[in-house]
Amino acid sequence: DGGITQSPKYLFRKEGQNVTLSCEQNLNHDAMYWYRQDPGQGLRLIYYSQIVNDFQKGDIAEGYSVSREKKESFPLTVTSAQKNPTAFYLCASSIGQVPTEQYFGPGTRLTVT
Amino acid sequence: QQQVKQSPQSLIVQKGGISIINCAYENTAFDYFPWYQQFPGKGPALLIAIRPDVSEKKEGRFTISFNKSAKQFSLHIMDSQPGDSATYFCAARDPSGAGSYQLTFGKGTKLSVIP
């Protein structure tokens, strides 16, 4: 059963704490992406990785960090430097470095209080 | 700067009617235009996509119309059903620049199909 898994579905943290969101794919896709979704804002790219051990900043990378040590995994850390971390976070992957189709995971809703 | 402008923000359509969502762009380098459908609490899923060398693409009840000269494209949902109620996002891909092949998304349209 191939796909993208994100865990957990809901995550609660206190302000000032770092938190890591998990994203795993078993589609053998080369490229992986992290998006943030806020009501009425669409999807905004945080980071993306086209190959293992390489990643690039997207439009809103400040306050976030990522790693890509394995092809199937692309965890996102929301640091305490992110001023407004409460949001719905979506992970996606695409078969090659050219994203003709991005497959999305189910998302993680992060609430920071 | 918003590179893909989507309208309307929300749309209410009667069952059986036609839903129309519009997107406009400025970057003539965009070379791929997908539409995604998202149900509440779920990730978006690709619905249909078009390249700028064709003016229309149809898949079942879903049609993309593309006007290259006007830099606009639209999604038409024929015979809209309550199960189509979701948020729809248009997107565009830029093959040039440092962030090559990234997708830029519109802000989304929340469609409600009422019985």
Side-chain angles (χ1 to χ4, degrees):
Chain A
D1 191 20
I4 301 175
T5 56
Q6 292 185 244
S7 59
K9 188 171 179 61
Y10 299 97
L11 193 53
F12 299 88
R13 280 293 183 270
K14 294 290 187 184
E15 194 173 317
Q17 294 179 335
N18 291 354
V19 60
T20 297
L21 280 60
S22 168
C23 177
E24 303 278 331
Q25 55 98 359
N26 61 3
L27 300 168
N28 199 32
H29 285 175
D30 291 314
M32 297 185 74
Y33 313 81
W34 273 106
Y35 291 91
R36 171 182 171 135
Q37 185 175 23
D38 297 283
Q41 292 298 314
L43 280 70
R44 292 182 290 170
L45 184 65
I46 304 173
Y47 268 98
Y48 66 103
S49 168
Q50 294 176 305
I51 56 173
V52 174
N53 292 322
D54 187 45
F55 47 83
Q56 286 79 41
K57 293 182 179 179
D59 299 322
I60 55 165
E62 185 176 349
Y64 299 97
S65 66
V66 294
S67 63
R68 186 87 185 277
E69 297 177 1
K70 298 185 295 183
K71 187 176 184 177
E72 59 269 23
S73 178
F74 191 40
L76 173 75
T77 297
V78 184
T79 75
S80 57
Q82 168 52 232
K83 291 182 171 53
N84 186 19
T86 295
F88 189 49
Y89 290 89
L90 287 159
C91 179
S93 69
S94 62
I95 193 167
Q97 297 178 19
V98 177
T100 52
E101 178 172 356
Q102 292 188 16
Y103 295 82
F104 284 84
T108 291
R109 185 165 299 279
L110 173 65
T111 302
V112 178
T113 58
Chain B
Q1 179 186 1
Q2 186 185 353
Q3 294 194 58
V4 179
K5 292 185 178 180
Q6 183 172 346
S7 63
Q9 195 171 11
S10 63
L11 181 62
I12 299 175
V13 173
Q14 288 263 317
K15 179 183 174 181
I18 302 173
S19 304
I20 302 174
I21 304 170
N22 300 298
C23 283
Y25 63 96
E26 291 296 324
N27 186 350
T28 56
F30 286 151
D31 69 346
Y32 171 73
F33 301 87
W35 284 89
Y36 283 82
Q37 179 188 55
Q38 184 181 30
F39 294 104
K42 306 291 186 184
L46 180 67
L47 190 62
I48 187 172
I50 197 167
R51 297 186 187 277
D53 52 346
V54 297
S55 60
E56 186 175 282
K57 182 174 182 180
K58 183 175 181 179
E59 289 184 4
R61 296 184 294 109
F62 301 91
T63 300
I64 300 179
S65 297
F66 188 84
N67 186 331
K68 190 173 181 178
S69 60
K71 292 183 285 186
Q72 295 175 347
F73 58 109
S74 59
L75 176 69
H76 296 236
I77 306 174
M78 312 300 287
D79 187 26
S80 299
Q81 298 297 313
D84 296 330
S85 297
T87 299
Y88 293 81
F89 294 94
C90 63
R93 184 183 72 183
D94 183 355
S96 63
S100 61
Y101 297 105
Q102 288 182 41
L103 287 178
T104 299
F105 286 83
K107 292 191 174 185
T109 296
K110 185 175 181 180
L111 171 65
S112 299
V113 181
I114 54 177

